[in-house]
Amino acid sequence: MEQDGTFAKSGHPGVTARRGDLFAPDCPTRQLLDRLGTKWVSMVVKVLAEDSPRPVRFAALRRRLPGISQKMLSQTLRGLVADGLVTRHVESTVPPQVHYGLTELGQSLELVLAAMRDWAETHMPAISAHRAAGVGPEDSVADGHEPGRTER
């Protein structure tokens, strides 16, 4: 049984996707990966989680994130604040001090990101070994065909 506002086929314009329809542009999973699927987001969330519930100043965040530019850190934080994952507090000092912290929603995201880090640390050696072995797409049997065999 379909809910009001959904169609059997995904991608229907102007219709909210059913839960789990990763191929629909408005799928929650796809939207989340588009917004949060960067290394900088996961690193910022981790640093803020490590200091939680204490807020972290912008300059301290930047020092703890090697390789991030001031512009990228600002953009990343702006997006996290807009999504309700991070709070921003500006102190009226000269110069102004800006502090960031995770919201409850941001804390729940850190649990997911921690699981992803654990998975990566467990499985990256195997993935790296496969890459080093030189297994390429032409050697794959994922399409159901034997390697090196073409259809006629």
Side-chain angles (χ1 to χ4, degrees):
M1 179 176 179
E2 292 182 6
Q3 300 174 6
D4 288 348
T6 62
F7 284 81
K9 295 198 180 221
S10 65
H12 191 278
V15 175
T16 303
R18 291 179 302 187
R19 184 179 178 136
D21 186 0
L22 186 59
F23 300 101
D26 56 349
C27 172
T29 301
R30 188 168 165 178
Q31 290 176 4
L32 178 78
L33 291 172
D34 286 345
R35 285 187 180 156
L36 306 178
T38 71
K39 66 180 178 182
W40 297 124
V41 166
S42 61
M43 292 169 77
V44 166
V45 170
K46 180 175 177 19
V47 169
L48 292 175
E50 288 173 349
D51 285 18
S52 189
R54 293 183 323 273
V56 180
R57 288 185 56 194
F58 182 91
L61 266 173
R62 186 152 182 233
R63 279 192 301 273
R64 292 171 63 184
L65 297 166
I68 195 168
S69 67
Q70 182 168 334
K71 179 181 177 183
M72 182 53 68
L73 179 56
S74 293
Q75 288 175 345
T76 301
L77 287 166
R78 195 174 309 119
L80 291 169
V81 169
D83 289 337
L85 299 165
V86 169
T87 60
R88 180 179 188 267
H89 174 74
V90 181
E91 286 188 28
S92 300
T93 59
V94 178
Q97 292 184 7
V98 184
H99 301 267
Y100 295 90
L102 287 179
T103 64
E104 190 174 322
L105 187 60
Q107 289 285 358
S108 68
L109 176 63
E110 167 53 18
L111 296 173
V112 174
L113 294 174
M116 287 178 58
R117 285 191 303 272
D118 288 344
W119 187 92
E121 291 168 6
T122 301
H123 295 95
M124 277 311 294
I127 292 170
S128 295
H130 283 280
R131 291 243 172 161
V135 177
E138 63 279 355
D139 301 321
S140 175
V141 293
D143 62 0
H145 300 288
E146 294 179 33
R149 186 170 177 197
T150 58
E151 297 235 356
R152 296 177 199 229

mmCIF file of all heavy atoms in Angstrom, residues 1 3-4 7 10 15 20 23 28 34-35 48 50 55 61 69-70 93 99-101 112 130 133 136 138 143 145 149:
data_model
loop_
_atom_site.group_PDB
_atom_site.id
_atom_site.type_symbol
_atom_site.label_atom_id
_atom_site.label_comp_id
_atom_site.label_asym_id
_atom_site.label_seq_id
_atom_site.Cartn_x
_atom_site.Cartn_y
_atom_site.Cartn_z
ATOM 1 N N MET A 1 0.839 -1.180 0.000
ATOM 2 C CA MET A 1 0.000 0.000 0.000
ATOM 3 C C MET A 1 0.880 1.238 0.000
ATOM 4 O O MET A 1 1.780 1.371 0.809
ATOM 5 C CB MET A 1 -0.904 -0.021 1.226
ATOM 6 C CG MET A 1 -1.802 1.176 1.342
ATOM 7 S SD MET A 1 -2.883 0.963 2.754
ATOM 8 C CE MET A 1 -3.750 2.467 2.671
ATOM 9 N N GLN A 3 1.681 5.318 0.368
ATOM 10 C CA GLN A 3 1.231 6.459 1.141
ATOM 11 C C GLN A 3 0.844 7.578 0.197
ATOM 12 O O GLN A 3 1.278 7.621 -0.948
ATOM 13 C CB GLN A 3 2.358 6.956 2.041
ATOM 14 C CG GLN A 3 2.844 5.935 3.018
ATOM 15 C CD GLN A 3 4.056 6.461 3.765
ATOM 16 O OE1 GLN A 3 4.451 7.608 3.630
ATOM 17 N NE2 GLN A 3 4.656 5.608 4.564
ATOM 18 N N ASP A 4 -0.016 8.480 0.684
ATOM 19 C CA ASP A 4 -0.329 9.663 -0.118
ATOM 20 C C ASP A 4 0.951 10.403 -0.421
ATOM 21 O O ASP A 4 1.820 10.547 0.433
ATOM 22 C CB ASP A 4 -1.273 10.600 0.648
ATOM 23 C CG ASP A 4 -2.679 10.029 0.747
ATOM 24 O OD1 ASP A 4 -2.999 9.041 0.045
ATOM 25 O OD2 ASP A 4 -3.444 10.580 1.530
ATOM 26 N N PHE A 7 4.759 7.617 -5.275
ATOM 27 C CA PHE A 7 4.463 6.879 -6.495
ATOM 28 C C PHE A 7 5.286 5.604 -6.486
ATOM 29 O O PHE A 7 6.310 5.516 -5.820
ATOM 30 C CB PHE A 7 4.820 7.712 -7.728
ATOM 31 C CG PHE A 7 3.830 8.796 -8.010
ATOM 32 C CD1 PHE A 7 3.891 9.988 -7.301
ATOM 33 C CD2 PHE A 7 2.840 8.634 -8.948
ATOM 34 C CE1 PHE A 7 2.986 10.999 -7.546
ATOM 35 C CE2 PHE A 7 1.937 9.644 -9.198
ATOM 36 C CZ PHE A 7 2.007 10.829 -8.495
ATOM 37 N N SER A 10 10.383 5.663 -8.603
ATOM 38 C CA SER A 10 11.155 6.727 -7.968
ATOM 39 C C SER A 10 11.430 7.849 -8.961
ATOM 40 O O SER A 10 11.335 7.672 -10.159
ATOM 41 C CB SER A 10 12.477 6.169 -7.443
ATOM 42 O OG SER A 10 13.261 5.730 -8.515
ATOM 43 N N VAL A 15 7.441 14.919 -5.887
ATOM 44 C CA VAL A 15 6.909 13.929 -4.967
ATOM 45 C C VAL A 15 8.011 13.524 -4.009
ATOM 46 O O VAL A 15 9.137 13.265 -4.407
ATOM 47 C CB VAL A 15 6.392 12.685 -5.733
ATOM 48 C CG1 VAL A 15 5.944 11.611 -4.765
ATOM 49 C CG2 VAL A 15 5.270 13.081 -6.663
ATOM 50 N N GLY A 20 14.233 5.109 1.911
ATOM 51 C CA GLY A 20 15.111 4.081 1.403
ATOM 52 C C GLY A 20 15.277 4.064 -0.104
ATOM 53 O O GLY A 20 15.938 3.193 -0.627
ATOM 54 N N PHE A 23 17.918 6.108 -5.012
ATOM 55 C CA PHE A 23 18.042 6.621 -6.368
ATOM 56 C C PHE A 23 17.214 7.878 -6.605
ATOM 57 O O PHE A 23 17.369 8.523 -7.634
ATOM 58 C CB PHE A 23 17.676 5.526 -7.374
ATOM 59 C CG PHE A 23 18.580 4.336 -7.221
ATOM 60 C CD1 PHE A 23 18.160 3.210 -6.558
ATOM 61 C CD2 PHE A 23 19.880 4.373 -7.700
ATOM 62 C CE1 PHE A 23 19.006 2.129 -6.388
ATOM 63 C CE2 PHE A 23 20.734 3.298 -7.536
ATOM 64 C CZ PHE A 23 20.294 2.170 -6.879
ATOM 65 N N PRO A 28 16.371 10.777 1.865
ATOM 66 C CA PRO A 28 17.099 11.289 3.036
ATOM 67 C C PRO A 28 18.549 10.812 3.105
ATOM 68 O O PRO A 28 19.439 11.590 3.448
ATOM 69 C CB PRO A 28 16.297 10.756 4.222
ATOM 70 C CG PRO A 28 14.932 10.514 3.675
ATOM 71 C CD PRO A 28 15.115 10.118 2.236
ATOM 72 N N ASP A 34 25.232 13.770 0.549
ATOM 73 C CA ASP A 34 25.623 14.976 -0.191
ATOM 74 C C ASP A 34 26.103 16.066 0.750
ATOM 75 O O ASP A 34 27.059 16.779 0.462
ATOM 76 C CB ASP A 34 24.451 15.505 -1.025
ATOM 77 C CG ASP A 34 24.169 14.659 -2.253
ATOM 78 O OD1 ASP A 34 25.026 13.833 -2.622
ATOM 79 O OD2 ASP A 34 23.087 14.832 -2.842
ATOM 80 N N ARG A 35 25.445 16.214 1.884
ATOM 81 C CA ARG A 35 25.795 17.289 2.820
ATOM 82 C C ARG A 35 26.953 16.934 3.728
ATOM 83 O O ARG A 35 27.772 17.777 4.059
ATOM 84 C CB ARG A 35 24.593 17.630 3.696
ATOM 85 C CG ARG A 35 23.541 18.401 3.000
ATOM 86 C CD ARG A 35 22.494 18.842 3.985
ATOM 87 N NE ARG A 35 21.476 19.601 3.295
ATOM 88 C CZ ARG A 35 20.253 19.730 3.733
ATOM 89 N NH1 ARG A 35 19.890 19.172 4.859
ATOM 90 N NH2 ARG A 35 19.384 20.439 3.063
ATOM 91 N N LEU A 48 34.960 18.217 17.681
ATOM 92 C CA LEU A 48 33.964 18.803 18.585
ATOM 93 C C LEU A 48 33.456 17.776 19.590
ATOM 94 O O LEU A 48 33.212 18.111 20.752
ATOM 95 C CB LEU A 48 32.797 19.396 17.790
ATOM 96 C CG LEU A 48 33.137 20.630 16.954
ATOM 97 C CD1 LEU A 48 31.936 21.049 16.108
ATOM 98 C CD2 LEU A 48 33.612 21.784 17.839
ATOM 99 N N GLU A 50 35.167 15.253 20.807
ATOM 100 C CA GLU A 50 36.222 15.005 21.789
ATOM 101 C C GLU A 50 36.185 16.020 22.924
ATOM 102 O O GLU A 50 36.519 15.694 24.059
ATOM 103 C CB GLU A 50 37.594 15.043 21.112
ATOM 104 C CG GLU A 50 37.874 13.845 20.228
ATOM 105 C CD GLU A 50 39.166 13.990 19.438
ATOM 106 O OE1 GLU A 50 39.757 15.090 19.403
ATOM 107 O OE2 GLU A 50 39.584 12.981 18.841
ATOM 108 N N PRO A 55 32.668 23.986 24.393
ATOM 109 C CA PRO A 55 32.782 24.501 23.027
ATOM 110 C C PRO A 55 34.253 24.671 22.635
ATOM 111 O O PRO A 55 35.139 24.738 23.499
ATOM 112 C CB PRO A 55 32.066 25.849 23.084
ATOM 113 C CG PRO A 55 32.124 26.252 24.511
ATOM 114 C CD PRO A 55 32.169 24.994 25.323
ATOM 115 N N LEU A 61 40.037 24.816 16.555
ATOM 116 C CA LEU A 61 39.565 23.831 15.577
ATOM 117 C C LEU A 61 40.529 23.755 14.404
ATOM 118 O O LEU A 61 40.923 22.671 13.968
ATOM 119 C CB LEU A 61 38.183 24.218 15.055
ATOM 120 C CG LEU A 61 36.967 23.623 15.729
ATOM 121 C CD1 LEU A 61 35.706 24.250 15.178
ATOM 122 C CD2 LEU A 61 36.924 22.126 15.563
ATOM 123 N N SER A 69 41.844 24.709 5.135
ATOM 124 C CA SER A 69 42.012 26.158 5.001
ATOM 125 C C SER A 69 40.964 26.858 5.864
ATOM 126 O O SER A 69 39.952 26.262 6.255
ATOM 127 C CB SER A 69 41.822 26.578 3.541
ATOM 128 O OG SER A 69 40.473 26.380 3.144
ATOM 129 N N GLN A 70 41.208 28.112 6.142
ATOM 130 C CA GLN A 70 40.255 28.894 6.925
ATOM 131 C C GLN A 70 38.908 28.951 6.202
ATOM 132 O O GLN A 70 37.859 28.812 6.820
ATOM 133 C CB GLN A 70 40.794 30.310 7.162
ATOM 134 C CG GLN A 70 39.874 31.153 8.020
ATOM 135 C CD GLN A 70 40.540 32.431 8.497
ATOM 136 O OE1 GLN A 70 41.760 32.494 8.614
ATOM 137 N NE2 GLN A 70 39.740 33.431 8.774
ATOM 138 N N THR A 93 33.894 40.352 22.265
ATOM 139 C CA THR A 93 35.226 40.791 22.655
ATOM 140 C C THR A 93 35.895 41.373 21.422
ATOM 141 O O THR A 93 35.386 41.274 20.317
ATOM 142 C CB THR A 93 36.064 39.601 23.182
ATOM 143 O OG1 THR A 93 36.159 38.614 22.162
ATOM 144 C CG2 THR A 93 35.461 38.999 24.438
ATOM 145 N N HIS A 99 32.875 30.392 19.252
ATOM 146 C CA HIS A 99 32.952 29.042 19.807
ATOM 147 C C HIS A 99 31.929 28.146 19.115
ATOM 148 O O HIS A 99 30.828 28.586 18.786
ATOM 149 C CB HIS A 99 32.641 29.065 21.310
ATOM 150 C CG HIS A 99 33.557 29.918 22.099
ATOM 151 N ND1 HIS A 99 34.691 29.425 22.695
ATOM 152 C CD2 HIS A 99 33.515 31.233 22.400
ATOM 153 C CE1 HIS A 99 35.310 30.409 23.334
ATOM 154 N NE2 HIS A 99 34.617 31.524 23.162
ATOM 155 N N TYR A 100 32.304 26.881 18.943
ATOM 156 C CA TYR A 100 31.431 25.896 18.306
ATOM 157 C C TYR A 100 31.307 24.673 19.190
ATOM 158 O O TYR A 100 32.255 24.294 19.884
ATOM 159 C CB TYR A 100 31.996 25.475 16.949
ATOM 160 C CG TYR A 100 32.027 26.603 15.952
ATOM 161 C CD1 TYR A 100 33.142 27.424 15.840
ATOM 162 C CD2 TYR A 100 30.921 26.858 15.142
ATOM 163 C CE1 TYR A 100 33.164 28.477 14.936
ATOM 164 C CE2 TYR A 100 30.944 27.909 14.240
ATOM 165 C CZ TYR A 100 32.062 28.702 14.142
ATOM 166 O OH TYR A 100 32.072 29.742 13.253
ATOM 167 N N GLY A 101 30.144 24.066 19.161
ATOM 168 C CA GLY A 101 29.907 22.827 19.907
ATOM 169 C C GLY A 101 28.873 21.982 19.193
ATOM 170 O O GLY A 101 28.105 22.491 18.365
ATOM 171 N N VAL A 112 27.506 7.555 14.549
ATOM 172 C CA VAL A 112 27.516 6.931 13.229
ATOM 173 C C VAL A 112 28.902 7.058 12.593
ATOM 174 O O VAL A 112 29.439 6.095 12.031
ATOM 175 C CB VAL A 112 26.435 7.565 12.322
ATOM 176 C CG1 VAL A 112 26.518 7.035 10.903
ATOM 177 C CG2 VAL A 112 25.059 7.347 12.915
ATOM 178 N N HIS A 130 43.754 -5.370 -2.034
ATOM 179 C CA HIS A 130 43.104 -5.626 -3.329
ATOM 180 C C HIS A 130 43.573 -4.630 -4.373
ATOM 181 O O HIS A 130 43.867 -4.998 -5.508
ATOM 182 C CB HIS A 130 41.577 -5.560 -3.194
ATOM 183 C CG HIS A 130 40.987 -6.781 -2.576
ATOM 184 N ND1 HIS A 130 40.763 -7.936 -3.266
ATOM 185 C CD2 HIS A 130 40.577 -7.016 -1.301
ATOM 186 C CE1 HIS A 130 40.242 -8.841 -2.462
ATOM 187 N NE2 HIS A 130 40.120 -8.305 -1.260
ATOM 188 N N ALA A 133 47.078 -5.363 -5.453
ATOM 189 C CA ALA A 133 47.165 -6.568 -6.277
ATOM 190 C C ALA A 133 46.836 -6.276 -7.733
ATOM 191 O O ALA A 133 47.016 -7.130 -8.589
ATOM 192 C CB ALA A 133 46.239 -7.647 -5.733
ATOM 193 N N GLY A 136 41.549 -4.819 -11.411
ATOM 194 C CA GLY A 136 40.878 -3.684 -12.028
ATOM 195 C C GLY A 136 39.498 -4.053 -12.517
ATOM 196 O O GLY A 136 39.079 -5.202 -12.410
ATOM 197 N N GLU A 138 38.388 -4.530 -15.401
ATOM 198 C CA GLU A 138 38.359 -5.544 -16.454
ATOM 199 C C GLU A 138 38.459 -6.953 -15.882
ATOM 200 O O GLU A 138 38.135 -7.928 -16.544
ATOM 201 C CB GLU A 138 39.488 -5.310 -17.472
ATOM 202 C CG GLU A 138 40.886 -5.436 -16.901
ATOM 203 C CD GLU A 138 41.394 -4.194 -16.161
ATOM 204 O OE1 GLU A 138 40.711 -3.161 -16.157
ATOM 205 O OE2 GLU A 138 42.489 -4.267 -15.589
ATOM 206 N N ASP A 143 29.438 -8.085 -13.074
ATOM 207 C CA ASP A 143 28.341 -7.966 -14.026
ATOM 208 C C ASP A 143 27.794 -9.318 -14.453
ATOM 209 O O ASP A 143 26.931 -9.411 -15.307
ATOM 210 C CB ASP A 143 28.767 -7.151 -15.252
ATOM 211 C CG ASP A 143 29.904 -7.794 -16.031
ATOM 212 O OD1 ASP A 143 30.373 -8.888 -15.617
ATOM 213 O OD2 ASP A 143 30.312 -7.223 -17.053
ATOM 214 N N HIS A 145 29.498 -11.733 -15.914
ATOM 215 C CA HIS A 145 30.231 -12.281 -17.035
ATOM 216 C C HIS A 145 31.626 -12.686 -16.573
ATOM 217 O O HIS A 145 32.196 -12.097 -15.669
ATOM 218 C CB HIS A 145 30.341 -11.262 -18.177
ATOM 219 C CG HIS A 145 29.017 -10.829 -18.685
ATOM 220 N ND1 HIS A 145 28.196 -11.634 -19.423
ATOM 221 C CD2 HIS A 145 28.345 -9.654 -18.541
ATOM 222 C CE1 HIS A 145 27.086 -10.979 -19.719
ATOM 223 N NE2 HIS A 145 27.157 -9.784 -19.207
ATOM 224 N N ARG A 149 35.741 -12.197 -21.253
ATOM 225 C CA ARG A 149 34.778 -12.766 -22.197
ATOM 226 C C ARG A 149 33.799 -11.697 -22.613
ATOM 227 O O ARG A 149 33.260 -10.970 -21.794
ATOM 228 C CB ARG A 149 34.038 -13.910 -21.517
ATOM 229 C CG ARG A 149 33.130 -14.629 -22.461
ATOM 230 C CD ARG A 149 32.618 -15.882 -21.817
ATOM 231 N NE ARG A 149 31.687 -16.489 -22.753
ATOM 232 C CZ ARG A 149 30.814 -17.393 -22.432
ATOM 233 N NH1 ARG A 149 30.741 -17.819 -21.191
ATOM 234 N NH2 ARG A 149 30.004 -17.892 -23.322
#
